[in-house]
Amino acid sequence: DVQLQASGGGLVQAGGSLRLSCAASGFSFDDYDIGWFRQAPGQGREGVSFISKTEGRTEYAESVKGRFTISSDDAKNTIYLQMNSLKPEDTAIYYCAAVFTDDIDNWDDLDPYDYWGQGTLVTVSS
């Protein structure tokens, strides 16, 4: 079974840092790319970051560029999202999702993603 387990959320003050983890099982990063998305209260789900091992590329939403860094640990089959200089507007539930590497055109388009983790809550206080 394919599973994604997101963790690492919590409460942090503005300017602080958190590292989210997305532990994957049942598939390989050679076949699937991983995206991080977030959903703030009352808002739609939006793309935050993306990583493709097969294409050797990463992507970031404009709102997080320079503050967030996505990375992978193949040995642990885990994707990380290092979030620095957090702002109150980063408050959201963060989800990781997997998409077959040949199925993605626009990384922040939700529809192609096949598998979703359960989400982890990030709260940034001002």
Side-chain angles (χ1 to χ4, degrees), residues 51 60 66 69 73 98 105 121:
I51 187 166
Y60 297 93
T69 303
D73 185 333
D105 290 324
L121 177 62

Side-chain angles (χ1 to χ4, degrees), residues 7 13 16-17 26 43 65 67 71 74 81 83 85 89 110 112:
S7 62
Q13 288 188 333
S17 298
Q43 299 187 21
K65 277 184 180 178
R67 300 188 297 123
S71 62
D74 288 356
L81 185 68
M83 306 187 297
S85 302
E89 50 264 43
L110 276 67

